[in-house]
Amino acid sequence: MSSYSPIGPVVGIVGAGQLARMSQQPAIALGVELRVLANNPEESAARVIVDTRIGDYRDLGDLRDFARGCDAITFDHEHVPTEHIRSLAANGYIVHPSADALLHAQDKAVMRERLTAIGAPCPAWARVSSVEDVVRFADSGENGWPVVLKAVRGGYDGRGVWVCRSVEEAAEAFTGGVELMVEAFVPFERELAVLVARSPHGQGVSYPVVETVQQDGICVEVIAPAPGLDAEESAQAQRIGLKIANELGVTGLLAVELFQTADGLVVNELAMRPHNSGHWTIEGSTTSQFEQHLRAVLDLPLGTPKMTAQVVVMANLLGGDDPDLFKRYEHVLAHDPGIKLHFYGKEVRPGRKIGHVTALGSNLDEVRARARHAAVHLMTGEYT
Amino acid sequence: MSSYSPIGPVVGIVGAGQLARMSQQPAIALGVELRVLANNPEESAARVIVDTRIGDYRDLGDLRDFARGCDAITFDHEHVPTEHIRSLAANGYIVHPSADALLHAQDKAVMRERLTAIGAPCPAWARVSSVEDVVRFADSGENGWPVVLKAVRGGYDGRGVWVCRSVEEAAEAFTGGVELMVEAFVPFERELAVLVARSPHGQGVSYPVVETVQQDGICVEVIAPAPGLDAEESAQAQRIGLKIANELGVTGLLAVELFQTADGLVVNELAMRPHNSGHWTIEGSTTSQFEQHLRAVLDLPLGTPKMTAQVVVMANLLGGDDPDLFKRYEHVLAHDPGIKLHFYGKEVRPGRKIGHVTALGSNLDEVRARARHAAVHLMTGEYT
């Protein structure tokens, strides 16, 4: 708990991961006083935010204590129970995004229903409660196998998503006991993402469309802008993002993950918060996604999403076997005086997202190679 | 005091003003854990740094307690007693800059002696202990009146500097009872500053030379790069900065304030820390001065000082009568979606440096006008 009286507006962030941590940088600039609700003081954001409260985001009492004195409340993750958010709002707290909007990022079936209703491009999908439902879906229309089974709630970074090539694989997904839905497998050419912001006043802003590169369901690289994307498809992606934000009443950031296919764009997932596909904006845009989100939740005018370089590439750092990342700073910083490092202050564990690097420049191949060089060395110690 | 175990290197900053505060932003990115020694928890940096210790920088015991566990120690200001810094170093703590180097930023007479010895361009100067000494100085050579009397120690932002046009004015400066020195008045055309960094390994980096605009001894505007400065004079300023850093054994940042005169450049003041003349680098350079200083004190390779735009203008925000700056954000952010605001989390008091704004672009007049517009509105509420 802080031992000073706030001078600026207080924004409470439920959750204390790296998204809350990186929000502290623009908060310091704007004079916005961040408060986080953390599980423990070792968490990523708790290390850099003085007004850290320890509590359970699933407990309404903890949330109420946390909310007291906040000028606005927002989220580091999507796991706060919908009814608790409604309760806070009913008590007069300003919460962005609202429970009604956030539900679409919490419940994939609700999201698909709504997107289908507003005409956003989606794969064929259905709620399922048995393997028989899945077989019926696969046998209907042009769906066929494989199909994609998804946990309706709680999945992230590839968890809660199963690509099933057979009845047997589908049966296995049901053993988890969670509510599932099925989607047609989308034969995509690549994955794109569009990040938009919408303020309570209704101002909307779209960042340039990016390409995201995934490995095992985890994003490893983001390229801004998406190389070779034609102007019409780029504009369409931005229109989809802004339309969804508007129709769903999103306040703050909305990240829309998209599949690019031979037949056009298809919406994959939504997130209503700063997103991994937007980390490049910290150096790569005049207004970072973290600043934009704070401005939106405080209902301040939004900043320009203009890029600061022609090409920006972000590479995620995933934990390896060696817990000491710092001894590898020497090589990557000496090798490339323009590389930007971001470390989240998390214990290094194999496969865990522990940071990212960003390179800016004008030549795509060169900028990608710089980001890759730094990420590979930081993760493995290898010289490439 | 923090309640977590550090993962990254710990850098202790003595002092908790806005320079320490703005150091937290790159520290978060690099995973460097900042600790500050503050007078109270309401101070600018104490509001955004979890590991804040309350103590007196003039007390060796407090400094020793503070230093324990720090991988490197540096400063937010120049007021730590030299003997205390020596004592910390003697106890094995890594302190940047060293007591020997920092002395040149603490004691203006020591600085002038040394700069004269290494051939850096200085005005005529002398130590003085009486008005008679001042008269003798004014009467010798080409000096004449006015003369500039300076407190040898402790002055900043125009305090401790008196431009004296007569014996009477000189006599008044002596009433303060502080040790004084005299310098010839320099008829300058404008003021410039050059910011350099030097790492313990000996790597040196110079930022582009800037023009600084002062009012009543306080910097109000910084323009990067200095408009119309010819390449030779610019290179000379950078050579002067790098030479001083090297000769004095500076580790970390060195800001050299310069007078541009018809007869060439003259060194005015030195500071060995991030400096107001370098705030533009937060958005205006690939490596901000705050990141550069952290990299230097940790003896990491330095970052490129390359500018991110053709023209960058910073305008300081000085406190006015109205304590509530935030209600004015709306107008300036809506007026200019590219303007960058920095508020230091300090109580607004008339004349106090409470923040700054930065504008980037390609047209000098336009960029200056944007910075000025935002600063004037934030300070006064006027629409210009």
Side-chain angles (χ1 to χ4, degrees), chain B residues 37-384:
Chain B
L37 185 64
N39 295 316
N40 65 68
E42 301 275 332
E43 279 190 286
S44 180
R47 292 170 175 270
V48 300
I49 292 173
V50 176
D51 194 1
T52 290
R53 314 283 173 107
I54 305 301
D56 186 345
Y57 62 82
R58 296 161 302 190
D59 183 287
L60 183 56
D62 283 0
L63 286 170
R64 281 198 178 131
D65 289 342
F66 175 76
R68 204 161 296 126
C70 287
D71 295 293
I73 295 160
T74 187
F75 309 99
D76 176 80
H77 56 67
E78 279 103 2
H79 310 316
V80 180
T82 309
E83 64 273 20
H84 291 356
I85 302 176
R86 285 197 212 288
S87 172
L88 291 176
N91 283 306
Y93 292 110
I94 293 172
V95 186
H96 295 298
S98 70
D100 286 346
L102 188 63
L103 188 56
H104 300 87
Q106 296 177 311
D107 186 307
K108 295 187 203 297
V110 169
M111 182 266 277
R112 283 294 180 217
E113 270 161 10
R114 184 85 177 121
L115 292 197
T116 306
I118 67 172
C122 292
W125 69 280
R127 292 175 186 272
V128 289
S129 51
S130 67
V131 178
E132 291 69 39
D133 289 346
V134 178
V135 172
R136 202 170 304 125
F137 176 85
D139 289 348
S140 73
E142 298 174 349
N143 296 342
W145 296 88
V147 298
V148 182
L149 281 172
K150 290 182 173 178
V152 169
R153 282 178 165 262
Y156 66 98
D157 277 357
R159 282 186 254 192
V161 175
W162 301 269
V163 177
C164 302
R165 281 154 217 293
S166 65
V167 179
E168 291 69 30
E169 285 184 12
E172 210 177 303
F174 276 90
T175 58
V178 297
E179 192 189 349
L180 297 181
M181 58 184 287
V182 66
E183 291 182 359
F185 180 85
V186 177
F188 59 85
E189 293 164 354
R190 59 174 173 171
E191 293 187 69
L192 305 175
V194 63
L195 187 69
V196 302
R198 186 172 169 274
S199 76
H201 260 79
Q203 187 190 0
V205 155
S206 174
Y207 286 89
V209 180
V210 299
E211 177 174 346
T212 63
V213 182
Q214 329 278 327
Q215 269 171 17
D216 305 323
I218 297 184
C219 171
V220 292
E221 187 187 35
V222 173
I223 307 167
L229 187 66
D230 73 50
E232 176 42 42
E233 212 150 23
S234 169
Q236 194 204 344
Q238 294 188 318
R239 279 195 304 270
I240 289 171
L242 289 165
K243 180 174 182 172
I244 293 173
N246 199 45
E247 293 281 350
L248 272 51
V250 175
T251 44
L253 287 186
L254 170 71
V256 182
E257 298 183 69
L258 298 155
F259 293 127
Q260 185 176 25
T261 78
D263 301 325
L265 299 172
V266 175
V267 175
N268 182 21
E269 306 279 357
L270 302 184
M272 289 183 201
R273 48 169 172 75
H275 189 254
N276 200 166
S277 67
H279 290 355
W280 65 273
T281 61
I282 296 175
E283 295 91 1
S285 170
T286 299
T287 312
S288 84
Q289 64 166 346
F290 299 100
E291 175 174 346
Q292 199 74 286
H293 190 66
L294 289 178
R295 287 164 74 152
V297 303
L298 288 167
D299 205 5
L300 288 168
L302 301 179
T304 173
K306 212 176 118 183
M307 291 184 68
T308 60
Q310 288 169 268
V311 179
V312 183
V313 174
M314 184 230 54
N316 275 333
L317 300 178
L318 305 178
D321 297 327
D322 184 343
D324 186 7
L325 215 71
F326 289 95
K327 65 172 183 286
R328 298 184 183 141
Y329 273 30
E330 185 92 25
H331 170 69
V332 297
L333 294 177
H335 181 84
D336 183 351
I339 197 79
K340 305 313 292 180
L341 308 188
H342 296 264
F343 180 58
Y344 303 154
K346 293 158 82 169
E347 296 282 355
V348 175
R349 282 192 232 125
R352 189 184 204 193
K353 276 185 193 168
I354 52 169
H356 72 267
V357 302
T358 305
L360 293 85
S362 52
N363 179 293
L364 176 61
D365 291 340
E366 184 191 306
V367 175
R368 283 187 85 170
R370 287 172 51 211
R372 179 88 344 236
H373 173 272
V376 166
H377 185 78
L378 288 170
M379 290 190 289
T380 67
E382 278 170 34
Y383 298 87
T384 55

